[in-house]
Amino acid sequence: MRKPIVTVAIAAAIGVAACSGSNSTSPEIESTKADEVAPVSEPAAPATDAAVAGEPAVDDTTTTIDPAEAQTIEQINAYIDEAAAFDQAAADAQFPEGLTFAAGGAPGYSRYVFRESSAGVVPTLVEGPLDDTVRCQSVELPCSYLELKELHESGAGIPLELEMSADELATLVGQLDELSAFAEEHRDINVACANGFVSDRIQTANMGTHLYKGEFIANGFDPGEPEILLYALADNTVPDGAVGQCRDGAWRGEPMQLIGTSFIIPPQVIGNEHPETFAGPLDNWHIHYNLCRGASEGRDSFLPLSECQAAGGRFSASLGWMIHAWVDPQHDNQLGVFSMWNPTVAPISDPNAIFETREVRGSDFPDGAEQSLITDFDYTGELSVSVGQSLFFNNVDAVPHTVSAGTFDTPMFDQFDSGLLDPGTNFELSFDEAGVYSLFCTLHPDMQATVTVK
Ligand SMILES: [Cu+2]
């Protein structure tokens, strides 16, 4: 889903940075990863810079095309060609090949998540293709189970952001009702144990613990038979270690409360392309990779196979396609019925505060660095830094983007320019002067933002 375009209302402040120093065409902006920046050829000032004091005027009396403009067009075309040559992952379940990844992403908020492990940076999560799914997790939108149900029953207009027809909504609500009824039958965790569900013993923050029923896993998708039921400690605390387990058809452990459901379908059953299951575009399925499940410790980690086994964990190179479906009315999820995270589950949280706590960043980030995730065709985050403070742009979309100074109509590649940022790469910027700087993606003119430097 493409988020609304950030309105650019600057221009004046751009000139603030473009002065003084050794080179009149280079403003005082450092890109400390200059080797990643596509070279911008030497001649000419940026197109809008002619007014800067002391700037040598560009001689335009003998040519009909402004050389700066010609250079800009050439640069844009070079990026478009380069991006066209980029090989996306061959299937929705996979990652692009032949790239060196940097740590980054945010589970539940980005298509890819890359994490550091002792074996280097490895992919740990992929989420459904954004072209076909809508990440409906804004509190303002009616994306929770009860809100979707109410929307359907009221017959009111469906907000455009949901990209859903009335028929799809009706079918979806029917599926969720069936699922919710199944969950209701298992509100008592002892019923789940008696019916063959098995605990993974790991309760994750804002997600709960998964009880699996193995025999459902081979059956494919059925909203009346979720492979997983989600529970959490009844007292709304976060457990310190492993939670209990089912033994002899009954729960042995602290009292638990039902919180939701989840599905897992192996690619062998459903294929490598994003599952077509729930009606409408809201179901954004994901796959975990390189996960080390530490059942005895009650937590997951990201260790290579040998270290995971040495630590007594169970290594999963790839779990199947998974999705949460928050259909327990007592834990209706303002981040959406299919969100990764549920703020009503311990630690009970402000729905809007969860994103920040999930952002992954490299251990080599300078202290105090800010990060903007490039996700869902948007530069997300506050985009506000102090003079000298690093701001990392972290591309975790499926396609390349750029972080280029100026706007699509008035690029200023000389000021700063990331070059083509492939999925899983970072670009670091810092600014020597306060002001408001505009930036855009050369490949996607809708992608615009401003950085405020204090
Ligand atoms: Cu882009």
Side-chain angles (χ1 to χ4, degrees), residues 374 377 379 399-402 441-444 447:
I374 306 178
F377 292 84
Y379 305 98
V399 297
H401 295 292
T402 77
C441 174
T442 318
L443 303 162
H444 308 105
M447 290 178 62

Side-chain angles (χ1 to χ4, degrees), residues 267-279:
Q268 310 85 277
V269 173
I270 208 164
N272 276 323
E273 298 304 325
H274 187 267
E276 293 288 338
T277 49
F278 287 101

Side-chain angles (χ1 to χ4, degrees), residues 1 129-130 132-136 161-163 281-284:
M1 176 186 181
L130 295 169
D132 299 331
T133 58
V134 170
R135 207 187 278 284
C136 187
E161 290 92 334
L162 273 60
E163 298 182 22
L282 303 189
D283 56 326
N284 194 356

